[in-house]
Amino acid sequence: MKRPLLALAMLALGAGVAGAGVAGAQVTPKRFAVVTRLGAFSPEKAASQELAGVIGLDAEYAFNKYFGLGTALDIGRGNTRREDFIQRLRFGNPAVAGGDTIYYQQLGQPVNTLNLTLFGSLRVPGKVSPYAVGGVGSYVLIMDALANGSTRYMSGMSLTGGAGVNIKFSEQYGIQFDVRALQFQNFERAKLDPSDGRFPNVWFPEDLPTPPAAKNSVLNTTFTLGFRYVPGAGN
């Protein structure tokens, strides 16, 4: 929890200092803005997923120069953390505890993550414009069909909160950098195990690190750089 909060605080402080005293309308009221974003998706350890790339698309309508409402779509593709899904397989003489040879295998798989959010935004007008966003939506994780033998999904409600800074190049174009915390509700880590728990491991911490405790909700963080376009602005 400390990681996204610290990042948001530092970003908001830096944006506030940079934007102080800078004039110029950053947001065009009564118009839509489209933002394409590219960056990194950093899952919480309890999610048992590795750092992944993410692309995003925002469509936002500005009611005035301070407030806006929009939708955001984030799409990422990464892998599960293999060391959290260790399988314990027995071979050899079945008369000896089901097999006298034990084989440990780390089992991972690719995962596609989609998150759709309805968000509100609050902005400080200026050529350098800090902003905050918050919203609610839904996520879906699509597991690898080849690893699971069939298509498998996990979905639930998501909560979004973040902050960023937008730098204006012209009335139509600009860039933005933001940090967003995405909390996934009703998260079931067991669904990320392609074996369905058929070969559970007996954990000995001195030999194999114990995976983090499973949680019902996980907090992920995205760090993205975006290109902002306001159609028809300045005309």
Side-chain angles (χ1 to χ4, degrees), residues 143-172:
M143 273 62 88
D144 184 69
L146 184 61
N148 291 276
S150 63
T151 303
R152 180 183 296 182
Y153 302 91
M154 177 178 13
S155 61
M157 184 179 73
S158 65
L159 302 174
T160 300
V165 59
N166 183 32
I167 302 174
K168 173 185 172 183
F169 294 148
S170 69
E171 292 297 326
Q172 285 187 306

Side-chain angles (χ1 to χ4, degrees), residues 7 18 23 29 73 81 86 88 126 128 137 140 142 144 150 155 194:
L73 174 64
R81 201 164 51 241
I86 295 181
R88 188 171 183 259
V128 178
V140 59
I142 306 174
D144 184 69
S150 63
S155 61

Side-chain angles (χ1 to χ4, degrees), residues 27-33 60-63 230-235:
V27 178
T28 304
K30 308 300 182 182
R31 287 191 181 276
F32 280 96
E60 180 185 0
Y61 181 78
F63 294 106
V230 183
N235 294 338

Side-chain angles (χ1 to χ4, degrees), residues 25-204:
Q26 178 61 33
V27 178
T28 304
K30 308 300 182 182
R31 287 191 181 276
F32 280 96
V34 179
V35 182
T36 55
R37 297 179 286 109
L38 180 66
F41 178 85
S42 179
E44 182 181 353
K45 284 187 177 181
S48 293
Q49 298 177 63
E50 298 177 346
L51 182 72
V54 65
I55 58 174
L57 177 64
D58 298 353
E60 180 185 0
Y61 181 78
F63 294 106
N64 53 45
K65 61 182 180 180
Y66 299 104
F67 301 104
L69 183 68
T71 58
L73 174 64
D74 292 277
I75 302 175
R77 180 172 174 82
N79 295 292
T80 57
R81 201 164 51 241
R82 295 161 54 93
E83 57 267 30
D84 289 354
F85 303 98
I86 295 181
Q87 313 301 309
R88 188 171 183 259
L89 308 174
R90 281 188 173 272
F91 300 93
N93 185 0
V96 181
D100 57 4
T101 302
I102 298 177
Y103 176 72
Y104 294 94
Q105 179 180 1
Q106 295 181 345
L107 189 61
Q109 64 171 314
V111 177
N112 296 317
T113 302
L114 289 81
N115 184 61
L116 180 63
T117 303
L118 176 66
F119 69 88
S121 64
L122 173 63
R123 298 178 180 273
V124 178
K127 186 176 179 62
V128 178
S129 173
Y131 61 90
V133 296
V136 62
S138 179
Y139 75 91
V140 59
L141 270 61
I142 306 174
M143 273 62 88
D144 184 69
L146 184 61
N148 291 276
S150 63
T151 303
R152 180 183 296 182
Y153 302 91
M154 177 178 13
S155 61
M157 184 179 73
S158 65
L159 302 174
T160 300
V165 59
N166 183 32
I167 302 174
K168 173 185 172 183
F169 294 148
S170 69
E171 292 297 326
Q172 285 187 306
Y173 304 105
I175 61 172
Q176 71 176 44
F177 173 74
D178 69 19
V179 180
R180 301 184 189 185
L182 311 178
Q183 186 177 55
F184 290 172
Q185 306 287 336
N186 301 321
F187 190 86
E188 299 179 65
R189 190 175 66 184
K191 289 186 176 180
L192 299 179
D193 183 359
S195 75
D196 280 332
R198 289 190 295 268
F199 309 104
N201 180 36
V202 178
W203 294 96
F204 297 97

